Amino acid sequence: MVRGTGDVATLAQAAAEGLTLAEFYGGGYKTSEPTPAAPPSWTLVAEGTVNTSALATAIKRGRILGECSNLARDLANEPGNTLTPREFARRAAAIAAEGGVTADVLDEKQIGDLGMGLLLGVARGSSEPPRLIVFRHDPPGAPPSPVLGLVGKGITFDTGGISIKPADGMERMKDDMAGGAAVACAMRAIGLLGAPIRVIGVVPTTENMPGGRAIKPGDILKSADGKTVEVINTDAEGRLILGDGLWYARTTGATHLVDVATLTGAVVVALGKTTSGLFGTPNAWVEQVRRVADREGDRSWPMPVFDDYREQLKSEIADLSNTGGRPAGSITAALFLKEFTGGLPWVHVDIAGTAWAEEARPFMPKGATGVAVRTLAMLAFETFEA
């Protein structure tokens, strides 16, 4: 029973989403226990006079959004030895294709030809080559503008590089591509649900490893849009690859940008494990994304991006440094990303605290949560300024 009051179709969609999310099983690698039986069939019953067509559409929408969230959970739960950047690109392209969304995968040579020195720099320490996954939803009759640009962080495993992380908890760093998974699976939902606007999805993907060719603190990298970055901490790598990803999204036609990333431990200190941090400009665009996120069950909270914080990113020898230190760490990370947005309306969603559940709930086992999939998908049905 769905308790509370409200539009019947909206409640039916919520019920369908919740039931679908509860079907998820993340123990595919276990051999000592049987695989759970297929989920039972279920029937939704609505009391009173209802529009049966609207009800059916809402249930279908809820089912699709739940399935796509589960697909994102599957990807983020996958271990780093199986989900390499090339395998992530292959699976993400196949997932999006199920929604009729086209996907191009750019290899390291094509990435180099584009001048994406930030993505290539992070990838240097790994024997696995990087990839750039580009999704396009271009429905017939869609207006030329607006074009929603979704950018997701795709670090398939993050050791921290030369600035290596502590061993305790490092196994969790297989989920550092949760933002990229959210974009890929949201693109599938956007296609299946028939969003009326054009949408571009961009996922730069690589490992961050401490190999002999890895970038070092003090190195200078050049981004695709020409900005130079002094690398202070190689564990601040997500913002580097997203910088090139944001540049690519806007130069290929996006008019409104949203990036999603497990970016900073600082946002967990600020907001804990239940709320994602929202950063961006202008305020109206941030508020629109917040409203959609709240409606879709992805709790979030706006954070400041005052220009004063930009001072912490100053470098003596480059255009900017890749970290502003511990104070306001999630804010300075967001302001780093802002440098690559070209002044477009932009929102950064930091899901470092919300991408992984430490405790099981009826609709969600421990592990990857699939956060942001529903928010990104339903943004494509919003009306916003061109």
Side-chain angles (χ1 to χ4, degrees), residues 320-380:
L320 65 163
S321 62
N322 77 325
T323 178
R326 290 177 62 84
S330 61
I331 297 172
T332 55
L335 285 172
F336 180 92
L337 297 179
K338 184 183 178 184
E339 294 288 319
F340 302 92
T341 63
L344 293 178
W346 153 77
V347 165
H348 160 58
V349 188
D350 194 333
I351 60 171
T354 53
W356 192 269
E358 302 288 354
E359 297 180 1
R361 299 182 184 181
F363 61 92
M364 182 170 62
K366 290 177 66 173
T369 64
V371 66
V373 171
R374 302 191 298 278
T375 298
L376 297 182
M378 297 314 293
L379 265 177

Short mmCIF file of all heavy atoms in Angstrom, two decimals, residues 320-380:
data_model
loop_
_atom_site.label_atom_id
_atom_site.label_comp_id
_atom_site.label_asym_id
_atom_site.label_seq_id
_atom_site.Cartn_x
_atom_site.Cartn_y
_atom_site.Cartn_z
N LEU A 320 45.81 27.35 -13.11
CA LEU A 320 45.18 26.99 -11.85
C LEU A 320 45.77 25.68 -11.35
O LEU A 320 46.41 24.94 -12.11
CB LEU A 320 43.66 26.89 -11.97
CG LEU A 320 43.03 25.81 -12.84
CD1 LEU A 320 41.55 25.63 -12.46
CD2 LEU A 320 43.07 26.16 -14.33
N SER A 321 45.58 25.42 -10.07
CA SER A 321 46.01 24.14 -9.49
C SER A 321 44.80 23.23 -9.36
O SER A 321 43.65 23.69 -9.39
CB SER A 321 46.67 24.36 -8.13
OG SER A 321 45.75 24.92 -7.21
N ASN A 322 45.05 21.94 -9.21
CA ASN A 322 43.91 21.02 -9.19
C ASN A 322 43.31 20.79 -7.82
O ASN A 322 42.37 20.02 -7.68
CB ASN A 322 44.30 19.67 -9.83
CG ASN A 322 45.13 18.79 -8.91
OD1 ASN A 322 45.95 19.27 -8.13
ND2 ASN A 322 44.90 17.48 -9.01
N THR A 323 43.82 21.46 -6.81
CA THR A 323 43.20 21.38 -5.49
C THR A 323 43.46 22.66 -4.73
O THR A 323 44.52 23.29 -4.89
CB THR A 323 43.71 20.16 -4.69
OG1 THR A 323 43.11 20.16 -3.40
CG2 THR A 323 45.22 20.19 -4.53
N GLY A 324 42.50 23.02 -3.90
CA GLY A 324 42.64 24.23 -3.09
C GLY A 324 42.91 23.94 -1.64
O GLY A 324 42.76 24.82 -0.79
N GLY A 325 43.29 22.70 -1.32
CA GLY A 325 43.56 22.34 0.06
C GLY A 325 42.31 21.86 0.78
O GLY A 325 41.24 21.72 0.19
N ARG A 326 42.43 21.63 2.07
CA ARG A 326 41.33 21.04 2.85
C ARG A 326 40.15 21.99 3.08
O ARG A 326 39.01 21.55 3.02
CB ARG A 326 41.86 20.55 4.20
CG ARG A 326 42.75 19.33 4.07
CD ARG A 326 43.31 18.91 5.43
NE ARG A 326 42.26 18.52 6.36
CZ ARG A 326 41.71 17.31 6.41
NH1 ARG A 326 42.09 16.38 5.57
NH2 ARG A 326 40.77 17.05 7.30
N PRO A 327 40.36 23.28 3.35
CA PRO A 327 39.20 24.14 3.61
C PRO A 327 38.26 24.20 2.41
O PRO A 327 38.70 24.42 1.27
CB PRO A 327 39.83 25.51 3.89
CG PRO A 327 41.24 25.22 4.29
CD PRO A 327 41.63 24.01 3.51
N ALA A 328 36.97 23.99 2.64
CA ALA A 328 35.95 24.08 1.58
C ALA A 328 36.32 23.21 0.38
O ALA A 328 36.17 23.61 -0.77
CB ALA A 328 35.75 25.53 1.16
N GLY A 329 36.80 21.99 0.66
CA GLY A 329 37.31 21.14 -0.42
C GLY A 329 36.31 20.81 -1.50
O GLY A 329 36.67 20.74 -2.69
N SER A 330 35.06 20.60 -1.15
CA SER A 330 34.07 20.28 -2.19
C SER A 330 33.73 21.51 -3.02
O SER A 330 33.43 21.41 -4.21
CB SER A 330 32.80 19.70 -1.56
OG SER A 330 32.19 20.62 -0.67
N ILE A 331 33.80 22.69 -2.40
CA ILE A 331 33.49 23.93 -3.12
C ILE A 331 34.60 24.27 -4.11
O ILE A 331 34.32 24.62 -5.27
CB ILE A 331 33.27 25.09 -2.12
CG1 ILE A 331 32.06 24.79 -1.24
CG2 ILE A 331 33.10 26.41 -2.86
CD1 ILE A 331 31.88 25.77 -0.09
N THR A 332 35.85 24.18 -3.69
CA THR A 332 36.94 24.49 -4.61
C THR A 332 37.01 23.47 -5.75
O THR A 332 37.37 23.82 -6.88
CB THR A 332 38.29 24.55 -3.88
OG1 THR A 332 38.51 23.33 -3.17
CG2 THR A 332 38.32 25.73 -2.90
N ALA A 333 36.63 22.22 -5.47
CA ALA A 333 36.56 21.23 -6.55
C ALA A 333 35.52 21.64 -7.57
O ALA A 333 35.74 21.53 -8.79
CB ALA A 333 36.24 19.85 -5.97
N ALA A 334 34.36 22.09 -7.09
CA ALA A 334 33.31 22.55 -8.01
C ALA A 334 33.77 23.76 -8.80
O ALA A 334 33.51 23.86 -10.02
CB ALA A 334 32.04 22.87 -7.22
N LEU A 335 34.46 24.69 -8.15
CA LEU A 335 34.93 25.87 -8.86
C LEU A 335 35.99 25.52 -9.90
O LEU A 335 36.11 26.21 -10.93
CB LEU A 335 35.46 26.90 -7.87
CG LEU A 335 34.38 27.63 -7.08
CD1 LEU A 335 34.99 28.49 -5.98
CD2 LEU A 335 33.54 28.51 -8.02
N PHE A 336 36.77 24.48 -9.65
CA PHE A 336 37.69 24.00 -10.68
C PHE A 336 36.89 23.58 -11.92
O PHE A 336 37.24 23.94 -13.06
CB PHE A 336 38.50 22.82 -10.15
CG PHE A 336 39.49 22.26 -11.14
CD1 PHE A 336 40.79 22.72 -11.18
CD2 PHE A 336 39.10 21.28 -12.05
CE1 PHE A 336 41.70 22.22 -12.11
CE2 PHE A 336 40.00 20.77 -12.97
CZ PHE A 336 41.30 21.23 -13.00
N LEU A 337 35.82 22.83 -11.73
CA LEU A 337 35.00 22.39 -12.86
C LEU A 337 34.36 23.57 -13.59
O LEU A 337 34.25 23.55 -14.82
CB LEU A 337 33.91 21.44 -12.36
CG LEU A 337 34.37 20.13 -11.72
CD1 LEU A 337 33.17 19.32 -11.26
CD2 LEU A 337 35.22 19.32 -12.69
N LYS A 338 33.96 24.57 -12.83
CA LYS A 338 33.33 25.75 -13.45
C LYS A 338 34.22 26.39 -14.50
O LYS A 338 33.73 26.96 -15.48
CB LYS A 338 32.99 26.76 -12.35
CG LYS A 338 32.24 27.99 -12.87
CD LYS A 338 31.99 28.98 -11.74
CE LYS A 338 31.29 30.23 -12.28
NZ LYS A 338 31.11 31.26 -11.22
N GLU A 339 35.54 26.27 -14.32
CA GLU A 339 36.48 26.86 -15.28
C GLU A 339 36.32 26.28 -16.69
O GLU A 339 36.77 26.87 -17.66
CB GLU A 339 37.92 26.59 -14.80
CG GLU A 339 38.29 27.29 -13.51
CD GLU A 339 38.46 28.79 -13.71
OE1 GLU A 339 39.04 29.20 -14.74
OE2 GLU A 339 38.00 29.54 -12.82
N PHE A 340 35.67 25.12 -16.80
CA PHE A 340 35.58 24.44 -18.09
C PHE A 340 34.16 24.42 -18.66
O PHE A 340 33.88 23.71 -19.63
CB PHE A 340 36.10 23.00 -17.94
CG PHE A 340 37.52 22.95 -17.45
CD1 PHE A 340 37.79 22.87 -16.09
CD2 PHE A 340 38.59 23.05 -18.33
CE1 PHE A 340 39.10 22.85 -15.62
CE2 PHE A 340 39.89 23.04 -17.88
CZ PHE A 340 40.15 22.94 -16.52
N THR A 341 33.28 25.23 -18.08
CA THR A 341 31.88 25.23 -18.51
C THR A 341 31.57 26.30 -19.56
O THR A 341 30.46 26.32 -20.10
CB THR A 341 30.94 25.44 -17.31
OG1 THR A 341 31.20 26.73 -16.73
CG2 THR A 341 31.14 24.35 -16.27
N GLY A 342 32.52 27.18 -19.82
CA GLY A 342 32.29 28.20 -20.85
C GLY A 342 31.18 29.16 -20.52
O GLY A 342 30.61 29.78 -21.43
N GLY A 343 30.84 29.31 -19.25
CA GLY A 343 29.79 30.25 -18.86
C GLY A 343 28.38 29.73 -19.06
O GLY A 343 27.41 30.47 -18.84
N LEU A 344 28.22 28.48 -19.47
CA LEU A 344 26.89 27.91 -19.66
C LEU A 344 26.22 27.63 -18.31
O LEU A 344 26.91 27.47 -17.30
CB LEU A 344 26.98 26.60 -20.44
CG LEU A 344 27.44 26.67 -21.90
CD1 LEU A 344 27.51 25.27 -22.49
CD2 LEU A 344 26.49 27.55 -22.72
N PRO A 345 24.88 27.57 -18.29
CA PRO A 345 24.23 27.09 -17.07
C PRO A 345 24.77 25.72 -16.72
O PRO A 345 24.81 24.82 -17.56
CB PRO A 345 22.75 27.03 -17.47
CG PRO A 345 22.62 28.02 -18.59
CD PRO A 345 23.92 27.95 -19.35
N TRP A 346 25.17 25.55 -15.45
CA TRP A 346 25.89 24.33 -15.07
C TRP A 346 25.58 23.96 -13.64
O TRP A 346 25.46 24.82 -12.78
CB TRP A 346 27.41 24.58 -15.25
CG TRP A 346 28.29 23.76 -14.36
CD1 TRP A 346 28.63 22.45 -14.49
CD2 TRP A 346 28.94 24.23 -13.17
NE1 TRP A 346 29.46 22.06 -13.45
CE2 TRP A 346 29.67 23.13 -12.63
CE3 TRP A 346 29.00 25.45 -12.50
CZ2 TRP A 346 30.43 23.23 -11.46
CZ3 TRP A 346 29.74 25.56 -11.33
CH2 TRP A 346 30.45 24.45 -10.83
N VAL A 347 25.42 22.66 -13.41
CA VAL A 347 25.27 22.13 -12.06
C VAL A 347 26.21 20.95 -11.89
O VAL A 347 26.31 20.09 -12.78
CB VAL A 347 23.82 21.68 -11.78
CG1 VAL A 347 23.74 20.81 -10.53
CG2 VAL A 347 22.90 22.89 -11.63
N HIS A 348 26.91 20.93 -10.77
CA HIS A 348 27.76 19.81 -10.39
C HIS A 348 27.11 19.09 -9.23
O HIS A 348 26.73 19.72 -8.23
CB HIS A 348 29.15 20.33 -10.00
CG HIS A 348 29.96 19.39 -9.17
ND1 HIS A 348 30.28 18.11 -9.58
CD2 HIS A 348 30.50 19.54 -7.92
CE1 HIS A 348 31.01 17.52 -8.63
NE2 HIS A 348 31.15 18.37 -7.61
N VAL A 349 26.95 17.77 -9.35
CA VAL A 349 26.34 16.95 -8.29
C VAL A 349 27.44 16.06 -7.73
O VAL A 349 27.94 15.16 -8.41
CB VAL A 349 25.18 16.09 -8.83
CG1 VAL A 349 24.46 15.41 -7.67
CG2 VAL A 349 24.21 16.93 -9.66
N ASP A 350 27.82 16.32 -6.48
CA ASP A 350 28.86 15.53 -5.82
C ASP A 350 28.18 14.39 -5.05
O ASP A 350 27.51 14.61 -4.03
CB ASP A 350 29.68 16.40 -4.87
CG ASP A 350 30.98 15.73 -4.42
OD1 ASP A 350 31.02 14.48 -4.39
OD2 ASP A 350 31.94 16.45 -4.10
N ILE A 351 28.35 13.16 -5.56
CA ILE A 351 27.67 12.00 -4.98
C ILE A 351 28.63 11.11 -4.18
O ILE A 351 28.36 9.92 -3.97
CB ILE A 351 26.98 11.17 -6.08
CG1 ILE A 351 28.00 10.67 -7.12
CG2 ILE A 351 25.86 11.96 -6.74
CD1 ILE A 351 27.43 9.66 -8.12
N ALA A 352 29.74 11.69 -3.72
CA ALA A 352 30.72 10.89 -2.98
C ALA A 352 30.11 10.22 -1.75
O ALA A 352 30.52 9.12 -1.37
CB ALA A 352 31.90 11.77 -2.58
N GLY A 353 29.14 10.87 -1.14
CA GLY A 353 28.52 10.30 0.05
C GLY A 353 27.32 9.43 -0.23
O GLY A 353 26.94 8.60 0.60
N THR A 354 26.70 9.60 -1.37
CA THR A 354 25.42 8.94 -1.64
C THR A 354 25.51 7.81 -2.67
O THR A 354 24.51 7.12 -2.90
CB THR A 354 24.40 9.98 -2.16
OG1 THR A 354 24.97 10.69 -3.29
CG2 THR A 354 24.05 10.98 -1.07
N ALA A 355 26.67 7.60 -3.27
CA ALA A 355 26.79 6.58 -4.31
C ALA A 355 26.88 5.17 -3.73
O ALA A 355 26.72 4.19 -4.46
CB ALA A 355 28.03 6.85 -5.18
N TRP A 356 27.14 5.06 -2.42
CA TRP A 356 27.36 3.76 -1.79
C TRP A 356 26.60 3.70 -0.48
O TRP A 356 26.70 4.59 0.34
CB TRP A 356 28.85 3.53 -1.54
CG TRP A 356 29.22 2.14 -1.17
CD1 TRP A 356 29.30 1.61 0.10
CD2 TRP A 356 29.55 1.08 -2.06
NE1 TRP A 356 29.67 0.29 0.04
CE2 TRP A 356 29.84 -0.07 -1.28
CE3 TRP A 356 29.65 0.98 -3.46
CZ2 TRP A 356 30.21 -1.29 -1.83
CZ3 TRP A 356 30.01 -0.23 -4.02
CH2 TRP A 356 30.29 -1.35 -3.21
N ALA A 357 25.82 2.64 -0.30
CA ALA A 357 25.05 2.47 0.93
C ALA A 357 25.78 1.54 1.89
O ALA A 357 26.17 0.43 1.50
CB ALA A 357 23.67 1.89 0.61
N GLU A 358 25.98 1.99 3.10
CA GLU A 358 26.64 1.17 4.12
C GLU A 358 25.67 0.23 4.82
O GLU A 358 26.07 -0.75 5.44
CB GLU A 358 27.31 2.08 5.16
CG GLU A 358 28.33 3.05 4.59
CD GLU A 358 29.62 2.37 4.16
OE1 GLU A 358 29.75 1.16 4.40
OE2 GLU A 358 30.47 3.05 3.58
N GLU A 359 24.37 0.55 4.75
CA GLU A 359 23.35 -0.27 5.40
C GLU A 359 22.26 -0.62 4.39
O GLU A 359 21.89 0.20 3.54
CB GLU A 359 22.72 0.48 6.58
CG GLU A 359 23.70 0.81 7.70
CD GLU A 359 23.03 1.56 8.84
OE1 GLU A 359 21.81 1.79 8.74
OE2 GLU A 359 23.73 1.90 9.80
N ALA A 360 21.74 -1.83 4.48
CA ALA A 360 20.69 -2.27 3.58
C ALA A 360 19.34 -1.67 3.99
O ALA A 360 19.07 -1.43 5.17
CB ALA A 360 20.59 -3.80 3.60
N ARG A 361 18.53 -1.42 2.98
CA ARG A 361 17.15 -0.98 3.20
C ARG A 361 16.25 -1.87 2.34
O ARG A 361 16.74 -2.57 1.45
CB ARG A 361 16.99 0.49 2.79
CG ARG A 361 17.88 1.45 3.59
CD ARG A 361 17.62 2.88 3.17
NE ARG A 361 18.53 3.80 3.86
CZ ARG A 361 18.51 5.12 3.69
NH1 ARG A 361 17.66 5.66 2.84
NH2 ARG A 361 19.36 5.88 4.35
N PRO A 362 14.94 -1.81 2.55
CA PRO A 362 14.06 -2.69 1.77
C PRO A 362 14.19 -2.52 0.26
O PRO A 362 14.03 -3.48 -0.50
CB PRO A 362 12.66 -2.29 2.26
CG PRO A 362 12.88 -1.80 3.65
CD PRO A 362 14.20 -1.10 3.63
N PHE A 363 14.49 -1.30 -0.18
CA PHE A 363 14.60 -1.04 -1.62
C PHE A 363 16.05 -0.98 -2.09
O PHE A 363 16.31 -0.72 -3.26
CB PHE A 363 13.92 0.29 -1.97
CG PHE A 363 14.53 1.48 -1.28
CD1 PHE A 363 15.54 2.21 -1.88
CD2 PHE A 363 14.10 1.86 -0.02
CE1 PHE A 363 16.11 3.30 -1.25
CE2 PHE A 363 14.66 2.95 0.63
CZ PHE A 363 15.67 3.67 0.01
N MET A 364 16.99 -1.27 -1.19
CA MET A 364 18.39 -1.08 -1.55
C MET A 364 19.31 -1.89 -0.65
O MET A 364 19.38 -1.65 0.55
CB MET A 364 18.75 0.41 -1.43
CG MET A 364 20.15 0.78 -1.83
SD MET A 364 20.34 2.58 -1.92
CE MET A 364 20.00 3.05 -0.19
N PRO A 365 20.03 -2.89 -1.21
CA PRO A 365 21.01 -3.61 -0.41
C PRO A 365 22.25 -2.76 -0.19
O PRO A 365 22.39 -1.67 -0.77
CB PRO A 365 21.32 -4.83 -1.27
CG PRO A 365 21.10 -4.36 -2.68
CD PRO A 365 19.95 -3.38 -2.59
N LYS A 366 23.15 -3.24 0.65
CA LYS A 366 24.43 -2.56 0.80
C LYS A 366 25.15 -2.53 -0.54
O LYS A 366 25.05 -3.47 -1.34
CB LYS A 366 25.29 -3.28 1.83
CG LYS A 366 24.79 -3.16 3.27
CD LYS A 366 25.65 -3.96 4.22
CE LYS A 366 27.06 -3.41 4.32
NZ LYS A 366 27.85 -4.09 5.37
N GLY A 367 25.87 -1.46 -0.78
CA GLY A 367 26.61 -1.34 -2.04
C GLY A 367 26.17 -0.15 -2.85
O GLY A 367 25.66 0.83 -2.32
N ALA A 368 26.38 -0.24 -4.15
CA ALA A 368 26.07 0.87 -5.05
C ALA A 368 24.58 1.19 -5.02
O ALA A 368 23.74 0.29 -4.98
CB ALA A 368 26.52 0.54 -6.46
N THR A 369 24.25 2.48 -5.06
CA THR A 369 22.87 2.93 -4.90
C THR A 369 22.16 3.27 -6.20
O THR A 369 20.93 3.33 -6.23
CB THR A 369 22.82 4.18 -4.00
OG1 THR A 369 23.51 5.25 -4.67
CG2 THR A 369 23.46 3.91 -2.64
N GLY A 370 22.92 3.55 -7.26
CA GLY A 370 22.28 4.02 -8.50
C GLY A 370 21.81 5.45 -8.40
O GLY A 370 20.94 5.88 -9.17
N VAL A 371 22.38 6.22 -7.48
CA VAL A 371 21.97 7.60 -7.29
C VAL A 371 22.13 8.41 -8.57
O VAL A 371 23.03 8.17 -9.37
CB VAL A 371 22.78 8.25 -6.14
CG1 VAL A 371 24.25 8.38 -6.50
CG2 VAL A 371 22.21 9.60 -5.73
N ALA A 372 21.22 9.36 -8.76
CA ALA A 372 21.23 10.37 -9.83
C ALA A 372 20.67 9.88 -11.15
O ALA A 372 20.39 10.70 -12.04
CB ALA A 372 22.61 10.95 -10.06
N VAL A 373 20.46 8.58 -11.34
CA VAL A 373 19.91 8.10 -12.62
C VAL A 373 18.56 8.72 -12.89
O VAL A 373 18.30 9.27 -13.97
CB VAL A 373 19.81 6.56 -12.63
CG1 VAL A 373 19.05 6.09 -13.87
CG2 VAL A 373 21.19 5.93 -12.60
N ARG A 374 17.67 8.66 -11.91
CA ARG A 374 16.31 9.16 -12.11
C ARG A 374 16.30 10.68 -12.29
O ARG A 374 15.55 11.21 -13.11
CB ARG A 374 15.42 8.73 -10.94
CG ARG A 374 15.39 7.21 -10.76
CD ARG A 374 14.32 6.75 -9.79
NE ARG A 374 14.49 7.24 -8.43
CZ ARG A 374 15.31 6.70 -7.54
NH1 ARG A 374 16.07 5.67 -7.86
NH2 ARG A 374 15.38 7.19 -6.31
N THR A 375 17.15 11.36 -11.54
CA THR A 375 17.22 12.82 -11.68
C THR A 375 17.66 13.22 -13.08
O THR A 375 17.03 14.06 -13.74
CB THR A 375 18.20 13.40 -10.65
OG1 THR A 375 17.72 13.12 -9.34
CG2 THR A 375 18.35 14.90 -10.83
N LEU A 376 18.75 12.63 -13.57
CA LEU A 376 19.26 12.98 -14.90
C LEU A 376 18.25 12.66 -15.98
O LEU A 376 18.06 13.43 -16.93
CB LEU A 376 20.57 12.23 -15.16
CG LEU A 376 21.75 12.54 -14.24
CD1 LEU A 376 22.98 11.75 -14.67
CD2 LEU A 376 22.07 14.03 -14.21
N ALA A 377 17.60 11.50 -15.87
CA ALA A 377 16.63 11.11 -16.88
C ALA A 377 15.45 12.08 -16.93
O ALA A 377 15.05 12.54 -18.02
CB ALA A 377 16.14 9.69 -16.62
N MET A 378 14.91 12.43 -15.78
CA MET A 378 13.71 13.26 -15.78
C MET A 378 14.00 14.73 -16.05
O MET A 378 13.10 15.49 -16.40
CB MET A 378 12.97 13.09 -14.45
CG MET A 378 12.45 11.67 -14.22
SD MET A 378 11.60 10.95 -15.67
CE MET A 378 10.16 11.99 -15.76
N LEU A 379 15.26 15.14 -15.92
CA LEU A 379 15.62 16.50 -16.33
C LEU A 379 15.33 16.72 -17.81
O LEU A 379 15.02 17.84 -18.23
CB LEU A 379 17.11 16.76 -16.07
CG LEU A 379 17.50 17.42 -14.76
CD1 LEU A 379 19.02 17.51 -14.66
CD2 LEU A 379 16.88 18.81 -14.64
N ALA A 380 15.43 15.67 -18.60
CA ALA A 380 15.21 15.78 -20.04
C ALA A 380 13.76 16.03 -20.39
O ALA A 380 13.43 16.25 -21.56
CB ALA A 380 15.72 14.52 -20.74
#
